[in-house]
Amino acid sequence: MTAIEALVRELGDDIVSVDDVSERYHSDWSGTSPTAPLALVRPRTIEQVATTLAICDRHGQTVVTQGGLTGLAGGAVPRPGDVALSLERMTGVEEIDAAAATMTVWAGTTLEVAQQAALGAGFELTYDLGARGTATVGGNVATNAGGNRVIRYGMTREHVLGLEAVLADGTVVSSLNKLLKNNAGYDLKQLFIGTEGTLGVVTRVVFRLRPAPAARTTALLACADYAAVLENLASFRRVPHLTAFEVMWPNYYEVIAERRGGITPPIDIGAGRAALVELSGDDADGDLVLIESMIGRAIEAGTVSDAFLARSVADTEAIWAMREAGPTDGIVGLLHFDVGLSTGDIDRFVGTVEQRLGARWPDVVVYAFGHIADGNVHCNPTVGTDDVEVAEQIEAIVYDTVAEFAGSVSAEHGIGTVKKPYLDRSRSTAEISLMRRVKDTLDPNGILNPGKVV
Ligand SMILES: Cc1cc2nc3c(=O)[nH]c(=O)nc-3n(C[C@H](O)[C@H](O)[C@H](O)COP(=O)(O)OP(=O)(O)OC[C@H]3O[C@@H](n4cnc5c(N)ncnc54)[C@H](O)[C@@H]3O)c2cc1C
């Protein structure tokens, strides 16, 4: 009996689909070539996840775990012959514990649903990203997603107190810790955070919650250059409830206005940089006064030339829409790089990439924006062609530059298949070999997301 026959026999055809698996499960947002999985398994219970993996492990059947399929590294894309295991039916908030300030959520729940549930109970789940409406909390944990408020609260990892995962052989490890302090042995949850489904399937997550702030105060600053951006970052970092400090470079700032109808940049930045600043607190009026006086001082010091202060929810949404738009529509040959760098180096890195690519392809345009306070820039060049060989040459130039700057080839999107060839630009041989040893120990038959990460 084959693995697929065993899956159908044990779980039934409500859970296991073999024919005509919808194209939705063939790919993610990375642009990696779509591939139909051998079968699609959509369990409703932990036991069904465990049965799936136990059968696949016995048969040496490879499995790719899928959440909301918004990943940008190709981690959830099936390889030929993989079974796709979707968590989309394992949804919902199991519990909000107000005294502990925690929530326990099923892995297939979208981030937005979890965020809304937390808000409904007077709390905030404090990580956030543009794909919130589709990305699942299981996918966020598996990719250790970053996003918009890392400067204040850290990445997804910092929000996870406990989790439950199913190992390759079907063993369920329930480690649903709610304690802030728990040093009883190894912190096993870390094995499954940021490991992109290569070491286990996450089924439930316990998140730490914080009181929901009453107000967000957002402003957009025009800074003449990156030195001025850094001056402003240094001032705003002194405000304890600073929750975002995002920067847009001029090419990006202009293109989103051109390509996204309805987005009109409220201020002109010329050849400078736009900085988006957000404070989250309980005193909306106080924060408006604070941010106004900081902008006033920055204008006097010459580090801000113009500014727009959001006075309504619509203003705030408009500013964030610019930052989250992403210059993707209809730009031929646009490549996406999500790289980690020391904050002070980011502008020099963008300039170096522009110059190195320009030496070879004079028409290069680089669209850059990012969470610069977290040392993360999305540096997206195009040289005007979709040619795969050209793309590979560009990738090599960009990732070699990342290595020279001692940066990371993936700040937040993960390695998947897209960045696997470049992992050694950021990780030593000893580190990669240790990753392999961990993988071999937890998944000796290599059934979980093979070909991804290491
Ligand atoms: C518009 C847009 C904006 C984005 N913004 C950000 C951002 O600001 N910051 C950021 O970090 N990312 C961002 N992303 C990338 C993406 O949203 C995140 O990587 C997200 O965490 C993926 O969640 P998902 O449920 O879609 O996972 P998927 O794409 O389905 O899977 C991603 C990886 O996780 C694994 N996986 C999924 N679920 C599980 C599970 N339950 N157990 C084990 N492994 C699992 C998959 O095998 C795969 O390797 C953005 C993407 C888009 C499209």
Side-chain angles (χ1 to χ4, degrees):
M1 185 184 295
T2 66
I4 307 298
E5 286 164 350
L7 287 170
V8 175
R9 198 184 67 176
E10 282 292 321
L11 299 167
D13 54 15
D14 169 48
I15 304 296
V16 185
S17 317
V18 181
D19 299 317
D20 296 330
V21 173
S22 155
E23 284 185 10
R24 174 176 143 61
Y25 306 94
H26 295 192
S27 195
D28 63 7
W29 277 55
S30 65
T32 308
S33 305
T35 306
L38 211 53
L40 172 68
V41 183
R42 293 185 300 154
R44 296 178 190 280
T45 65
I46 297 161
E47 292 71 29
Q48 289 168 345
V49 177
T51 302
T52 304
L53 293 186
I55 290 172
C56 289
D57 199 44
R58 272 202 305 277
H59 287 81
Q61 169 61 55
T62 56
V63 179
V64 58
T65 305
Q66 298 183 334
L69 291 158
T70 66
L72 298 170
V77 180
R79 298 189 327 162
D82 283 352
V83 161
L85 173 60
S86 170
L87 274 288
E88 71 185 1
R89 286 169 164 174
M90 295 178 65
T91 61
V93 173
E94 188 176 79
E95 183 203 49
I96 294 183
D97 182 335
T102 63
M103 78 192 299
T104 307
V105 189
W106 289 94
T109 312
T110 65
L111 172 58
E112 193 165 36
V113 165
Q115 286 173 333
Q116 291 303 326
L119 282 176
F123 289 101
E124 187 179 32
L125 177 57
T126 48
Y127 73 90
D128 187 36
L129 44 133
R132 64 184 76 76
T134 312
T136 63
V137 300
N140 299 156
V141 169
T143 57
N144 185 29
N148 301 332
R149 303 204 174 106
V150 173
I151 185 174
R152 171 109 189 259
Y153 304 110
M155 296 177 74
T156 301
R157 186 188 303 283
E158 266 76 45
H159 297 75
V160 180
L161 289 176
L163 55 71
E164 177 180 72
V166 184
L167 303 183
D169 65 1
T171 306
V172 178
V173 182
S174 255
S175 193
L176 294 168
N177 169 66
K178 288 188 190 176
L179 307 175
L180 211 50
K181 292 181 167 181
N182 186 348
N183 278 345
Y186 295 173
D187 188 2
L188 295 171
K189 66 178 181 285
Q190 302 298 351
L191 289 168
F192 308 102
I193 304 176
T195 49
E196 300 179 53
T198 59
L199 302 182
V201 175
V202 177
T203 46
R204 277 186 289 180
V205 187
V206 181
F207 287 114
R208 177 184 184 180
L209 300 176
R210 291 175 169 90
R216 294 198 193 285
T217 310
T218 315
L220 194 64
L221 317 178
C223 305
D225 53 24
Y226 196 67
V229 167
L230 293 180
E231 294 271 339
N232 282 294
L233 174 59
S235 313
F236 277 99
R237 264 192 178 137
R238 301 184 70 84
V239 180
H241 54 294
L242 173 69
T243 43
F245 193 98
E246 311 272 312
V247 168
M248 295 170 264
W249 274 253
N251 288 341
Y252 174 81
Y253 194 75
E254 280 160 25
V255 85
I256 44 170
E258 248 172 55
R259 293 193 172 255
R260 305 270 170 160
I263 299 181
T264 310
I267 51 173
D268 183 12
I269 63 160
R273 313 283 179 264
L276 184 164
V277 178
E278 182 191 79
L279 309 183
S280 304
D282 287 335
D283 179 5
D285 294 339
D287 278 349
L288 266 179
V289 171
L290 173 64
I291 222 165
E292 256 171 351
S293 73
M294 290 181 76
I295 291 172
R297 281 201 297 275
I299 288 175
E300 272 172 31
T303 57
V304 166
S305 57
D306 195 2
F308 174 77
L309 186 53
R311 304 245 171 219
S312 63
V313 173
D315 283 352
T316 302
E317 285 174 355
I319 298 180
W320 271 109
M322 290 174 54
R323 174 36 208 90
E324 292 189 334
T328 49
D329 291 352
I331 297 179
V332 176
L334 189 71
L335 298 173
H336 300 268
F337 295 96
D338 151 50
V339 300
L341 296 153
S342 179
T343 297
D345 288 342
I346 291 180
D347 199 63
R348 198 163 55 83
F349 171 84
V350 173
T352 305
V353 164
E354 226 157 12
Q355 182 213 326
R356 288 183 181 170
L357 297 180
R360 189 117 168 234
W361 298 279
D363 294 334
V364 67
V365 184
V366 176
Y367 301 99
F369 61 99
H371 324 281
I372 67 125
D374 319 330
N376 178 196
V377 68
H378 299 293
C379 180
N380 303 330
T382 173
V383 300
T385 168
D386 278 330
D387 189 292
V388 176
E389 275 178 27
V390 171
E392 283 170 5
Q393 289 161 9
I394 295 173
E395 281 178 3
I397 291 171
V398 173
Y399 288 131
D400 285 347
T401 310
V402 170
E404 259 178 57
F405 277 72
S408 169
V409 295
S410 173
E412 55 177 17
H413 296 162
I415 294 297
T417 49
V418 171
K419 292 179 202 159
K420 195 178 158 196
Y422 303 103
L423 185 59
D424 67 355
R425 306 298 200 281
S426 300
R427 297 295 203 156
S428 66
T429 309
E431 285 175 306
I432 294 172
S433 143
L434 179 56
M435 289 183 205
R436 285 220 177 87
R437 279 160 64 190
V438 174
K439 168 76 177 163
D440 291 344
T441 304
L442 283 177
D443 180 18
N445 297 323
I447 65 151
L448 287 176
N449 244 358
K452 315 281 170 63
V453 190
V454 281

